[in-house]
Amino acid sequence: MSTESRFKTGPGPGYSVLNWRTVDIVVAAVIGVSIGVVFWLWGVLWTATEPLFVFFPPAQAVIYGMWMLPGVLGGLVIRKAGAALLTSVAAASVSILLGVPWGVSVIVSGVLQGLLPELVFLAFAYRRWNTGVAVLAGVAAGISPAIKDNITTYVTWPIEYQLAYAAIVLVSAGLIAGVGGRLLTTALARTDALAPFPSARG
């Protein structure tokens, strides 16, 4: 059986995506806290790299996808209804505590960037976890900043800049959160760190 086909296998008989165990909550919190720290570092990186993109500011969105990772990764690892939302909100909350410069608006972003991939996993009845679904979840998470940032932060940009920014955000989200989240899940499964989860099978 190929690695990709194993990813198409859903939870076994008796498994419910609605019944949360203690280990599910703990791992969701660990993922959220860990990526929340990365968020803080990513905020520093975002600010530091702004001068590199003065030639075309929308291009900076190439690194945006990291902010979509917790929701996608939480869903792929825990495979329970609400896991994407919980991990995304946890990561956003930790990044606020660490002092990211965007304040409490990060919580709104965390909710949306967790809820949208959650809807993708729901559309596949929480039974499909392959790379294609992960990329869709990542792109879905990217829809929120692709729209919100253009009507808040970059409202003065010309339309071609805004369209380019939205497109780059979506591509970055699909690659970093979608493909990256899928690869990270596979890597964790190979270390037996995911033994309590269906994701241990890939």
Side-chain angles (χ1 to χ4, degrees), residues 46 50 57 60 64 67 101-102 105-106 109 144-158 161-162 165 169:
W46 181 268
E50 281 182 344
Q60 192 178 16
Y64 205 107
W67 281 302
W102 301 284
S105 68
V106 174
S109 297
S144 168
I147 296 174
K148 183 175 70 66
D149 290 358
N150 273 325
I151 61 177
T152 55
T153 308
Y154 305 123
V155 66
T156 60
W157 275 1
Y161 272 35
Q162 292 185 332
Y165 178 82
V169 166

Side-chain angles (χ1 to χ4, degrees), residues 26-137:
V26 169
V27 170
V30 169
I31 292 174
V33 170
S34 301
I35 301 183
V37 175
V38 174
F39 275 6
W40 176 78
L41 294 171
W42 218 249
V44 174
L45 176 66
W46 181 268
T47 302
T49 56
E50 281 182 344
L52 300 178
F53 297 95
V54 291
F55 70 97
F56 188 60
Q60 192 178 16
V62 71
I63 64 172
Y64 205 107
M66 178 57 72
W67 281 302
M68 310 299 114
L69 181 61
V72 178
L73 182 62
L76 291 174
V77 168
I78 301 169
R79 304 189 177 181
K80 298 277 188 175
L85 179 60
L86 177 59
T87 51
S88 183
V89 171
S93 301
V94 170
S95 70
I96 289 175
L97 293 175
L98 292 175
V100 293
W102 301 284
V104 295
S105 68
V106 174
I107 288 293
V108 177
S109 297
V111 170
L112 293 173
Q113 293 163 19
L115 182 60
L116 292 171
E118 191 77 53
L119 293 176
V120 172
F121 296 135
L122 174 62
F124 288 92
Y126 294 99
R127 296 185 64 84
R128 307 279 287 188
W129 307 98
N130 58 32
T131 302
V133 173
V135 170
L136 282 177

